[in-house]
Amino acid sequence: MHPSEEIKFEKSRKLEGKRICLCITSSAACIEAFYLCRELIRHGADVDVFMSEEATKLIHPNLMEFASGKKPVVELSGYTEHVSLCRKGCCDAVVVCPCTANTISKIALGIADNAVTSCVLTAIGSKVPVIVVPAMHLSLMKNDSVEENIERLKEMGCIIVEPRIEGERAKIADRETIIENVIRCVREGDLEGKKILIIGGASAEKIDDIRVLTNRSSGKFAIELVRECFERGAYVELWHGWMREKVPDYVKSREFESVEDLLKMIDDCKNFDFIFVCAALSNYIPEPMDGKIPSNIRGLTLDLRVAPRLIDKLREIVGEERIIAFKAEEKEEDLIKKAKEMSRVFHMVVGNLTSSFGSDRTKIWIFKDGDVLEKEDKKDKLAELIIDKLGG
Ligand SMILES: Cc1cc2nc3c(=O)[nH]c(=O)nc-3n(C[C@H](O)[C@H](O)[C@H](O)COP(=O)(O)O)c2cc1C
């Protein structure tokens, strides 16, 4: 067994049975191609590697053979690898990562003068999705011809995974962003055309200039919902409070701290088809004090007022039919009673227990159209179930 087989399905089966052509060109970021290849396999993909000759001067094909379990194609042979491996029916997606300014421009002009460009042009010609991940110095990226050629690639139907601009560099997108784009390409896009907003994380209410009142919400459910909706083709935004989980780069995100900060953003909710409110928002707000409350006060009392309820304002602005409300309670019977009551009003209600905050696994109750579905599983699987139940 080749060593690359040992890691197959380590992360998921989302790319099971999918063949991906990974095309590597000669950017300094090509060292990332090794890790990307392994990550694709961890999600279950079969990977065929194509390398430009220039790329082989930066990383050796042996490394990519170790990563993928197959000899990389560096030069086309009588086997016509660009046709036999890259056309529809043989390949599910082509990922050009990293993609140099040179290769971007060649693809835009329809030049097929090496293994990589021949693979990409064949894929475009036979309607196989092509994902291009540019990486270069910013001065190259901002060159008029390169900018125009990137636009041309978009017109040709290529998905451009935008680089992270840091100082003078247009750095390769992070690995998670590239993987999520590959999965989105090959998964059934049943949410295509839908605009979905996920509001998650914990609010933090100011006590004084350095202290806040917050809660134990990790934001994990919000992240799993973002991932599921993105992979299924939706336009997704994440509005988040404090998160223990990493905020993903692959969707637009906006940050809030307090409930009142979030309320100031609420008018922008009108643009979405569905709004998931799974944030843990404070029910009480302290009267904030200037400076730092001295640390030696005995029996300090905080005055708390009741916080405005986001969900009530949201109902006024977008109507109940677009809202998916989350309800957390300590006791199962209270939860079921309250969530059932709420489900008479909202598109869908998801109930969970406060004991699940921060954990990977939990039990939920989904209330929709008078039915209730109870399920215990990992949060990623539950997110999939929630989206299955979403309906039109
Ligand atoms: C060490 C090194 C790093 C490079 N990094 C980049 C890069 O990040 N982006 C880029 O567009 N070109 C980069 N280049 C220039 C390309 O390698 C050069 O344009 C080459 O002709 C591209 O060939 P290819 O597109 O066939 O791989 C780099 C060159 C070297 C030697």
Side-chain angles (χ1 to χ4, degrees):
M1 183 170 76
H2 188 275
S4 61
E5 288 291 319
E6 288 167 16
I7 59 167
K8 204 156 194 178
F9 308 125
E10 237 176 43
K11 288 252 168 105
S12 83
R13 304 188 88 92
K14 287 179 181 176
L15 296 175
E16 184 170 19
K18 304 294 178 194
R19 300 186 71 87
I20 310 294
C21 288
L22 173 59
C23 294
I24 307 171
T25 65
S26 61
S27 149
C30 63
I31 47 168
E32 180 57 30
F34 170 80
Y35 299 104
L36 179 67
C37 179
R38 308 278 288 172
E39 198 72 353
L40 289 167
I41 296 170
R42 285 194 181 94
H43 286 282
D46 279 322
V47 183
D48 286 295
V49 176
F50 285 65
M51 297 176 77
S52 71
E53 254 181 75
E54 292 298 313
T56 65
K57 295 179 189 166
L58 301 186
I59 55 168
H60 200 279
N62 282 353
L63 182 70
M64 294 314 301
E65 184 177 351
F66 168 73
S68 66
K70 294 177 209 169
K71 269 211 178 309
V73 181
V74 177
E75 201 182 341
L76 298 179
S77 72
Y79 183 59
T80 55
E81 292 83 351
H82 58 302
V83 181
S84 45
L85 297 175
C86 310
R87 70 178 199 279
K88 190 118 196 150
C90 307
C91 167
D92 295 286
V94 169
V95 187
V96 195
C97 177
C99 192
T100 56
N102 177 54
T103 295
I104 286 171
S105 300
K106 282 199 218 168
I107 301 168
L109 293 174
I111 296 171
D113 65 345
N114 64 19
V116 166
T117 48
S118 304
C119 164
V120 176
L121 290 194
T122 307
I124 294 173
S126 70
K127 307 265 182 286
V128 170
V130 173
I131 299 169
V132 174
V133 189
M136 62 196 70
H137 197 268
L138 195 59
S139 48
L140 266 178
M141 183 100 178
K142 291 288 165 209
N143 174 295
D144 284 351
S145 318
V146 176
E147 276 187 331
E148 275 169 30
N149 288 333
I150 290 178
E151 286 311 308
R152 173 85 188 105
L153 258 51
K154 289 181 190 166
E155 286 160 22
M156 290 160 84
C158 297
I159 295 153
I160 308 288
V161 181
E162 299 291 342
R164 292 171 290 138
I165 308 298
E166 282 182 20
E168 284 302 300
R169 284 166 296 166
K171 282 185 157 185
I172 190 167
D174 71 6
R175 207 175 303 156
E176 184 190 30
T177 300
I178 305 167
I179 291 287
E180 283 306 319
N181 273 283
V182 176
I183 297 174
R184 180 178 163 104
C185 262
V186 302
R187 260 187 94 164
E188 193 196 337
D190 58 344
L191 293 183
E192 223 171 281
K194 293 271 185 273
K195 292 175 94 178
I196 296 184
L197 172 63
I198 317 279
I199 305 178
S203 65
E205 304 297 334
K206 196 174 156 188
I207 295 173
D208 63 16
D209 283 353
I210 57 164
R211 300 178 178 98
V212 291
L213 185 68
T214 186
N215 59 66
R216 288 180 192 274
S217 166
S218 64
K220 194 163 176 51
F221 231 133
I223 301 285
E224 294 302 348
L225 287 166
V226 164
R227 192 192 315 280
E228 187 63 21
C229 294
F230 181 78
E231 288 177 3
R232 289 163 79 153
Y235 169 82
V236 189
E237 271 188 37
L238 170 65
W239 293 3
H240 66 91
W242 286 25
M243 305 274 272
R244 268 185 277 157
E245 297 289 315
K246 178 185 171 290
V247 176
D249 272 355
Y250 55 89
V251 296
K252 181 175 170 193
S253 58
R254 290 173 69 180
E255 192 170 356
F256 62 86
E257 188 168 271
S258 65
V259 173
E260 270 157 9
D261 289 343
L262 179 56
L263 286 173
K264 287 182 197 141
M265 294 154 64
I266 206 166
D267 266 343
D268 297 342
C269 288
K270 287 179 189 152
N271 304 329
F272 293 91
D273 298 303
F274 290 113
I275 300 150
F276 287 77
V277 187
C278 52
L281 300 173
S282 193
N283 300 113
Y284 299 100
I285 301 179
E287 206 47 62
M289 285 176 240
D290 288 334
K292 175 179 177 269
I293 302 170
S295 38
N296 55 358
I297 301 178
R298 289 173 70 101
L300 174 70
T301 309
L302 292 177
D303 267 338
L304 302 175
R305 66 183 162 90
V306 174
R309 279 169 50 86
L310 173 87
I311 205 102
D312 294 341
K313 306 268 177 206
L314 207 54
R315 283 172 76 176
E316 286 168 23
I317 288 186
V318 301
E320 290 97 2
E321 250 318 288
R322 288 197 257 166
I323 299 174
I324 294 87
F326 279 62
K327 182 79 192 148
E329 285 292 333
E330 202 179 332
K331 294 197 185 99
E332 198 172 312
E333 50 183 69
D334 288 346
L335 173 71
I336 291 173
K337 200 168 141 221
K338 288 181 186 168
K340 200 171 180 178
E341 191 59 38
M342 284 167 75
S343 71
R344 288 188 225 287
V345 176
F346 296 108
H347 182 82
M348 190 158 87
V349 175
V350 180
N352 63 347
L353 297 171
T354 49
S355 54
S356 78
F357 274 40
S359 69
D360 253 6
R361 223 185 144 78
T362 186
K363 190 167 167 188
I364 58 164
W365 289 259
I366 301 175
F367 295 86
K368 176 137 194 284
D369 302 330
D371 289 335
V372 56
L373 175 68
E374 182 182 329
K375 181 91 181 158
E376 188 176 340
D377 211 328
K378 287 177 71 180
K379 285 184 178 168
D380 58 343
K381 291 277 165 223
L382 295 174
E384 192 177 339
L385 184 68
I386 291 168
I387 304 302
D388 284 345
K389 290 266 152 212
L390 187 62

